[in-house]
Amino acid sequence: MKCSIQGCPGEYEHRLVIHTVKRGADVLVFEDVPAEVCDVCSDMLLAPATIRHIEALMANHPKPRKQAPVYAYT
Ligand SMILES: [Zn+2]
């Protein structure tokens, strides 16, 4: 599928990505999320079913697979 960003000649390809969601002061990190990623500009699309799955995971408060350190840029 061709990239939806205007002027970008790239094509989306299927990849597993790391998706982060900010919830209040917390940052939640999801690994191995299936996404379509443009091979030129890295624009990322998540399928509606994937977003629903992430929302369901967040609602169920599962135990995280692992913890990630969070750094401020400055
Ligand atoms: Zn693109």
Side-chain angles (χ1 to χ4, degrees):
M1 185 171 64
K2 217 187 147 315
C3 181
S4 63
I5 302 295
Q6 201 176 5
C8 177
E11 294 266 337
Y12 290 107
E13 57 185 31
H14 194 70
R15 283 193 217 160
L16 295 179
V17 302
I18 292 177
H19 182 64
T20 56
V21 179
K22 250 197 122 185
R23 189 170 62 178
D26 294 331
V27 179
L28 308 182
V29 183
F30 294 88
E31 274 187 325
D32 300 331
V33 177
E36 302 298 316
V37 182
C38 174
D39 58 358
V40 173
C41 73
S42 299
D43 184 49
M44 194 177 86
L45 300 177
L46 296 179
T50 305
I51 293 168
R52 280 197 297 276
H53 184 73
I54 288 171
E55 285 170 351
L57 278 175
M58 285 165 55
N60 292 335
H61 299 292
K63 188 171 162 28
R65 178 195 277 176
K66 57 194 178 196
Q67 306 277 349
V70 178
Y71 298 99
Y73 178 71
T74 53

